[in-house]
Amino acid sequence: MSAFIRRPIIRSILASGRSITSRTAPVLVKQVYSRSFTSACSPQSIALRALGQQTLLKDGRFYSTDSFPTHNIIAMPALSPTMTAGALGTWQKKVGDEVVPGDVLVEIETDKAQMDFECQEEGYLAKILVETGSKDVTVGQPIAIFVEDPKDVAAFENFSAKDIESASKPEQPKEESEPKESEPKEETEKETKSAEKASSSNEADGDRVKASPIARKLASERKINLDEVKGTGSGGIITKEDIENYKASAPKATSTSAAPAPASIPTAYTPKGAAGEAYTDIPTTNMRRIIASRLSESKQQVPHYYVTVEINMDKTNKLREVLNKSSEGKYKLSVNDFVIKASALALKKVPEVNSAWQGEFIRQYNSADISVAVATPSGLITPIVTAAETKGLSTISAQVKDLATRARDGKLSPNEYQGGSFTISNLGMYGVSHFTAIINPPQACILAVGGAQQKLVPDETNEKGYSVRNVMEVTLSADHRVVDGAVGATWLQAFREYMENPLKMML
């Protein structure tokens, strides 16, 4: 729908909305909400998925109030299913700038990458609520104000998050609003009367504790023993204020007897007597915190087991050399390309490994979507080669190079690194011969690949009685809830068969 047609419709909706009482305004906003930022986006961003929350703030448009014209609240979007908070990079638009579909509004650092947030609607940026460089911005938190009329921008110069909270709450009827000074008096009078009634009933019942009904209810909710509270009301009656004050002083009374809680993170060693600065504290990024949390959770909750095999790489190395020489510069295959292809074919042969633990069921995937671990300056990320079993070695090689480059530049879109059915982590290029990897939940397995090394092996066909072979060690980390040991070993046999006879990958 064009802006020319849409805006008269919006104005008519707003006109009808103003005729309804303030108590029904929030319902009106939810039910006749006509337009907000769409969730459609370019491959590099996902727009305002956070607007689909339960509260009015995240559900739709806020109509004009006595103080501010009609506006939209731009909330921190959830750019991944696991994202709960992120950091704001550089705002690409300043207050007053026009925003058209496709414009980059702001850079957002997720738990995996730095992404451009592109809007798909037209309008004007009226207010920036969260500045560049802000960290731990929770999903759903307002970050900016968006208006349709450029004349409305100036009205939001002093707009703040408090105005959003007040706009989302229905106003109270005038007859209910009284001067603030009279409210404590009325409450005190009511409480005193009820306290006197409670006191008379307590005395009649022989109860030694005198407290107002409000105080008793509050004490019950906060699990406070009334015998320990001193009443300041008439005749020593315990009032609401006594309960509230008791709660404030309770921690002080218990702090002397209670032992301090142990720190969840041990305090780091501080060198003494060192010349100059003894250490440097590097702030953790949002991505690093997420990695730490996920890997700790995986290691603690997933029952890992490990299976290692040695693979003769002679045939694969020879085939790789021949193919690269005949490529005429069109591609350059790496050992990892063969590992990805062999893993995908082995997953089709042993589909039980191509699975994910889901608690009530195990999800078995029909295609091999291989996550490839890539080291970036801010942490590890795993872009995905989808349906790797259907792709040739040159296609896999080109795709991995492209994904790795964009991963290091923070240019991956969420669908390129979220998900996957199996992960490969290769440290062979760093001279590592053997290591074990931590499973990436909810996937069931991850393959740790070491570098090839020359090894002497018995060989009856050789007159020396031995031969020198290039041997590579791989270790499969498996989730025992999904993959039994025999199944893991069977998969490794299939993988080794493809790697030691690489021509089978061409069939």
Side-chain angles (χ1 to χ4, degrees):
M1 183 183 296
S2 67
F4 179 78
I5 299 175
R6 181 171 58 246
R7 284 173 177 163
I9 296 175
I10 295 174
R11 292 192 186 99
S12 66
I13 294 175
L14 294 177
S16 63
R18 295 189 184 97
S19 65
I20 300 184
T21 63
S22 59
R23 285 183 176 273
T24 60
V27 178
L28 175 68
V29 174
K30 284 190 175 187
Q31 293 181 348
V32 300
Y33 157 62
S34 59
R35 181 175 74 86
S36 70
F37 281 87
T38 175
S39 61
C41 65
S42 73
Q44 294 183 340
S45 67
I46 294 181
L48 303 192
R49 193 178 298 169
L51 293 178
Q53 302 292 331
Q54 296 295 325
T55 62
L56 174 64
L57 169 64
K58 305 175 188 68
D59 272 339
R61 154 167 299 192
F62 289 96
Y63 288 131
S64 57
T65 64
D66 294 338
S67 304
F68 301 101
T70 302
H71 56 280
N72 273 357
I73 306 298
I74 302 180
M76 182 68 166
L79 301 182
S80 71
T82 58
M83 179 179 170
T84 58
L88 285 190
T90 304
W91 284 90
Q92 302 299 318
K93 296 289 182 179
K94 61 181 183 295
V95 173
D97 284 354
E98 183 179 7
V99 180
V100 298
D103 281 354
V104 176
L105 189 62
V106 65
E107 297 174 353
I108 296 178
E109 180 187 339
T110 71
D111 55 347
K112 292 293 186 183
Q114 181 111 354
M115 302 173 60
D116 291 336
F117 176 21
E118 295 182 0
C119 288
Q120 298 300 310
E121 299 285 347
E122 71 280 358
Y124 298 85
L125 182 61
K127 183 69 175 181
I128 294 176
L129 299 174
V130 181
E131 296 297 332
T132 295
S134 298
K135 297 182 178 181
D136 295 325
V137 181
T138 57
V139 169
Q141 178 179 336
I143 60 174
I145 302 298
F146 189 87
V147 296
E148 291 183 349
D149 192 340
K151 297 178 181 179
D152 294 336
V153 171
F156 292 87
E157 182 178 359
N158 298 320
F159 191 90
S160 66
K162 294 181 179 179
D163 297 307
I164 297 176
E165 296 174 1
S166 61
S168 62
K169 297 178 181 178
E171 297 178 358
Q172 297 295 329
K174 293 182 179 180
E175 58 270 16
E176 293 182 5
S177 61
E178 297 290 341
K180 293 183 178 180
E181 295 180 357
S182 64
E183 293 178 0
K185 295 180 179 178
E186 292 180 359
E187 184 178 346
T188 304
E189 291 175 0
K190 293 179 181 179
E191 189 171 337
T192 302
K193 292 179 181 179
S194 60
E196 291 175 354
K197 293 180 181 180
S199 175
S200 60
S201 62
N202 289 341
E203 291 175 356
D205 296 336
D207 188 357
R208 293 182 293 107
V209 180
K210 300 177 182 180
S212 68
I214 296 177
R216 287 182 179 276
K217 181 179 179 182
L218 189 60
S220 176
E221 292 175 351
R222 300 184 179 182
K223 297 181 180 180
I224 296 175
N225 187 354
L226 291 175
D227 291 329
E228 300 176 359
V229 182
K230 182 179 180 180
T232 61
S234 177
I237 296 173
I238 298 173
T239 64
K240 175 184 176 184
E241 286 76 13
D242 295 330
I243 300 298
E244 292 176 342
N245 293 335
Y246 177 84
K247 178 184 178 182
S249 61
K252 295 181 181 180
T254 59
S255 61
T256 56
S257 59
S264 57
I265 301 177
T267 304
Y269 162 68
T270 303
K272 295 181 180 180
E277 294 293 335
Y279 58 88
T280 301
D281 289 335
I282 302 173
T284 55
T285 63
N286 184 59
M287 183 175 179
R288 175 55 59 187
R289 287 193 294 271
I290 294 296
I291 292 173
S293 175
R294 301 274 170 76
L295 294 184
S296 297
E297 180 182 347
S298 173
K299 197 65 175 176
Q300 293 168 6
Q301 298 183 8
V302 177
H304 288 59
Y305 74 88
Y306 311 96
V307 186
T308 302
V309 295
E310 292 183 346
I311 296 174
N312 183 353
M313 294 293 293
D314 288 343
K315 292 183 179 180
T316 295
N317 288 342
K318 289 179 180 178
L319 178 60
R320 172 173 167 255
E321 183 180 356
V322 170
L323 292 176
N324 284 338
K325 284 183 178 180
S326 61
S327 67
E328 298 179 351
K330 296 179 181 178
Y331 56 82
K332 186 177 182 181
L333 302 179
S334 67
V335 172
N336 208 45
D337 300 329
F338 285 86
V339 171
I340 294 171
K341 180 67 174 181
S343 297
L345 294 175
L347 289 174
K348 297 299 291 183
K349 198 169 185 179
V350 188
E352 294 87 351
V353 175
N354 197 32
S355 303
W357 175 256
Q358 297 292 289
E360 296 298 323
F361 60 91
I362 295 173
R363 175 165 296 168
Q364 190 173 111
Y365 298 101
N366 297 324
S367 63
D369 297 332
I370 307 296
S371 301
V372 182
V374 175
T376 71
S378 55
L380 193 68
I381 191 170
T382 53
I384 304 168
V385 180
T386 58
E389 77 279 6
T390 65
K391 297 175 179 178
L393 290 168
S394 61
T395 302
I396 291 174
S397 179
Q399 188 171 353
V400 169
K401 287 182 176 65
D402 173 64
L403 290 170
T405 300
R406 290 191 290 116
R408 295 186 183 97
D409 295 338
K411 298 296 180 65
L412 291 178
S413 59
N415 62 292
E416 291 179 308
Y417 61 79
Q418 291 172 6
S421 60
F422 185 90
T423 298
I424 295 173
S425 180
N426 191 340
L427 296 180
M429 65 284 294
Y430 298 102
V432 176
S433 59
H434 171 81
F435 72 103
T436 57
I438 301 175
I439 296 171
N440 183 22
Q443 294 179 11
C445 295
I446 181 172
L447 185 69
V449 182
Q453 293 183 328
Q454 290 188 338
K455 187 175 182 180
L456 294 177
V457 296
D459 186 359
E460 296 179 355
T461 62
N462 192 313
E463 59 181 8
K464 296 180 180 179
Y466 64 89
S467 296
V468 179
R469 293 178 182 173
N470 292 298
V471 176
M472 180 178 73
E473 282 192 10
V474 296
T475 299
L476 180 71
S477 303
D479 183 348
H480 217 317
R481 298 172 300 180
V482 182
V483 180
D484 291 333
V487 176
T490 302
W491 183 88
L492 276 177
Q493 286 181 342
F495 173 78
R496 181 168 57 185
E497 182 180 355
Y498 284 115
M499 289 298 294
E500 293 185 346
N501 300 279
L503 290 178
K504 291 186 175 181
M505 299 185 198
M506 313 296 178
L507 300 177

